[in-house]
Amino acid sequence: MRILIQKFGGTSVSTHERRNRVVNKIIKAKNKGFSPVVVVSAMGRKGQPYATDTLLSLVSRDFRNSSPLSIDLLMSCGEIISTVVVADELSKLKMDVVPLTGGQAGIITDDNYNDAAVLRVEKGKLTSILESGKIPIVAGFQGVSENGYVTTLGRGGSDVTAALLGTALNAESVEIYTDVDGIMTADPRIVSDASLIEKISYNEVFQMADQGAKVIHPRAVKIAMNGNVPLVIKNTLNDGKGTVISNSAAGASGKVVNGITSMDDRVQITVKYSENKDSENYYTLLDELANNLISIDLINVFPYEEVFTIGNEDMDNFKIVMKNLGLNYNAIKECTKIALIGSGMRGVPGVIAKILKVLSRENIKVLQTADSHTTIWCLVERSKASKAINALHREFLLGEK
Ligand code: ADP
Ligand code: ASP
Ligand code: MG
């Protein structure tokens, strides 16, 4: 059996017209001799009736925080509705289909509601559906705990379902259909002349996804990489080739930087020794933040100060921790962390210098930088982020093929 996973995102299944395209892609795969396993997301985006955010808005914030088990049950409904609607459209065309929840498809998770980790995939039911020539339509983003409760896999988690099934079923490839042509050199909503990346390595895409490129979930990239299953990102609305992600694509573009991504809502924190020298807590601060599950990044420790960033969502918690420790600090809110990613930058001199030159030419203050073998980060004020990303995109010639 030549198994192909075809995952369709929220916008791809949002209208009857779009679902026609979805149905055509599935039938085409079947006619080519594949046994497709379809994974679907909830229909549409925020504001549309069955989108995940719309379902979440049906209950109070307090309930959301106090009953994650209930919230997973609520959020799972969006994908379940999608499976049945897509199944209906396929059966009108005489296709034999079986819509399934994540649990029915054998996705067994721990009970970490809202962000459950997958323990295993019990593939018996899916395999027998495929062997009978039928097409399983699986609700993405969800599983079931060993106690039988519905769980979800973290926002954007339908990609994770697709990659998991691809690996478990030894699929020829995992196709992720969305509303853009593939992985672009930057978010096309920020950079209008962002260009399509035709081939890219798992590692680079993982970095892009992890650093804010919403087009694919980073965990899906890791799972596909570990299972050595090629991932292809395509546009539901056309027949373009999309982006092929595999191991053989490292350095395929020959460029120093392959893509630019960004994360908003960062807060830069500076804790000065001179303002806290009477407190022994100065040296245990980073441990205390870890104990309170506040994740920090871009950490620079100097003899006279510690500088790092946290997410805006952790700010209330952070204030409490700092108050309890009796430490003074300075916070710059509304920052954006920009990441320039490319495996070709390893060992190439002058890349950071070039970035700083471009940003200073554009009068954009760089609040902090950091680098690894494949990524350079710069922190800027959010109001300047779009200008900075566009300038960097031009400087590294990413709009040009
Ligand atoms: P889906 O509902 O299909 O899963 P998502 O909204 O999760 O779609 O992801 C697709 C979106 O990701 C695109 O509409 C695009 O704006 C955004 N995006 C961010 N960075 C990139 C990038 N580098 N390449 C392509 N799309 C990107
Ligand atoms: N519907 C879920 C979400 O909005 C999962 C997904 O779209 O992948 O996060
Ligand atoms: Mg998505």
Side-chain angles (χ1 to χ4, degrees):
M1 240 186 322
R2 299 178 62 198
I3 295 174
L4 177 69
I5 313 293
Q6 295 183 297
K7 178 257 168 177
F8 298 93
T11 49
S12 303
V13 291
S14 60
T15 63
H16 176 66
E17 197 215 352
R18 284 174 185 224
R19 287 192 296 273
N20 269 341
R21 308 256 185 175
V22 167
V23 162
N24 284 337
K25 304 245 181 236
I26 300 168
I27 294 176
K28 214 165 161 185
K30 187 92 181 147
N31 290 343
K32 277 190 185 160
F34 285 105
S35 298
V37 174
V38 178
V39 175
V40 289
S41 289
M43 299 193 286
R45 289 205 174 127
K46 199 171 188 164
Q48 294 179 277
Y50 311 107
T52 309
D53 286 305
T54 313
L55 299 176
L56 275 174
S57 72
L58 297 172
V59 294
S60 66
R61 186 176 287 270
D62 282 351
F63 189 60
R64 243 195 260 181
N65 294 334
S66 65
S67 186
L69 177 150
S70 311
I71 298 311
D72 272 4
L73 191 57
L74 174 66
M75 285 200 290
S76 70
C77 298
E79 270 68 16
I80 296 175
I81 293 170
S82 254
T83 60
V84 180
V85 172
V86 171
D88 175 36
E89 307 211 359
L90 276 163
S91 43
K92 280 183 204 145
L93 299 169
K94 307 279 172 269
M95 307 301 288
D96 263 339
V97 291
V98 185
L100 299 162
T101 65
Q104 289 169 334
I107 296 176
I108 313 296
T109 72
D110 63 13
D111 55 8
N112 183 24
Y113 299 106
N114 301 183
D115 196 18
V118 175
L119 301 176
R120 61 184 182 278
V121 179
E122 292 174 355
K123 55 185 185 177
K125 191 175 276 154
L126 277 178
T127 310
S128 65
I129 293 170
L130 290 169
E131 278 166 356
S132 68
K134 296 182 181 165
I135 303 173
I137 319 279
V138 181
F141 171 56
Q142 56 179 263
V144 67
S145 71
E146 294 198 280
N147 296 327
Y149 291 100
V150 172
T151 53
T152 63
L153 310 180
R155 297 305 305 270
S158 297
D159 297 333
V160 176
T161 306
L164 273 169
L165 296 182
T167 305
L169 297 168
N170 212 358
E172 260 183 47
S173 94
V174 174
E175 296 181 339
I176 306 280
Y177 285 93
T178 184
D179 60 351
V180 284
D181 285 349
I183 305 218
M184 319 282 290
T185 48
D187 186 340
R189 281 185 280 201
I190 299 175
V191 178
S192 58
D193 67 344
S195 63
L196 177 70
I197 302 173
E198 287 171 5
K199 283 186 191 163
I200 187 165
S201 65
Y202 292 112
N203 267 327
E204 285 165 298
V205 176
F206 176 79
Q207 285 297 329
M208 288 180 76
D210 194 47
Q211 296 301 314
K214 196 179 159 222
V215 61
I216 175 106
H217 196 296
R219 225 192 297 164
V221 182
K222 266 265 151 75
I223 294 167
M225 179 168 76
N226 291 340
N228 206 15
V229 183
L231 261 181
V232 189
I233 318 285
K234 294 181 168 200
N235 195 333
T236 308
L237 299 180
N238 62 41
D239 289 323
K241 286 197 173 135
T243 302
V244 179
I245 306 166
S246 68
N247 270 330
S248 57
S253 73
K255 289 181 177 168
V256 174
V257 171
N258 272 337
I260 304 181
T261 63
S262 60
M263 269 167 124
D264 293 332
D265 298 326
R266 306 301 301 167
V267 183
Q268 188 191 41
I269 306 285
T270 305
V271 188
K272 287 193 186 300
Y273 177 72
S274 58
E275 291 172 13
N276 293 292
K277 57 175 178 284
D278 298 330
S279 167
E280 46 196 53
N281 290 333
Y282 179 76
Y283 294 103
T284 56
L285 168 61
L286 298 185
D287 286 338
E288 274 307 300
L289 294 178
N291 292 341
N292 283 278
L293 303 180
I294 297 174
S295 88
I296 53 179
D297 66 0
L298 295 184
I299 311 157
N300 292 135
V301 178
F302 305 100
Y304 50 90
E305 67 182 10
E306 291 177 5
V307 188
F308 52 87
T309 70
I310 62 172
N312 200 25
E313 70 282 2
D314 285 330
M315 201 52 200
D316 288 345
N317 215 352
F318 177 78
K319 282 182 192 160
I320 297 170
V321 173
M322 295 304 269
K323 196 165 173 216
N324 291 342
L325 294 174
L327 291 175
N328 300 307
Y329 63 95
N330 181 45
I332 302 180
K333 292 187 185 152
E334 300 283 331
C335 295
T336 295
K337 184 174 67 159
I338 298 174
L340 294 94
I341 293 151
S343 53
M345 71 174 63
R346 191 184 290 250
V348 177
V351 187
I352 292 198
K354 190 169 174 177
I355 293 169
L356 294 178
K357 203 153 63 182
V358 178
L359 296 179
S360 102
R361 197 172 64 212
E362 300 283 333
N363 277 324
I364 296 166
K365 188 155 102 189
V366 177
L367 300 168
Q368 219 176 323
T369 63
D371 65 292
S372 75
H373 285 314
T374 55
T375 307
I376 294 174
W377 292 270
C378 323
L379 191 72
V380 301
E381 287 164 23
R382 186 176 177 177
S383 58
K384 301 279 173 58
S386 170
K387 189 177 175 199
I389 294 167
N390 275 281
L392 291 165
H393 195 267
R394 273 194 306 276
E395 188 68 22
F396 285 94
L397 308 176
L398 295 179
E400 295 167 21
K401 280 277 163 87

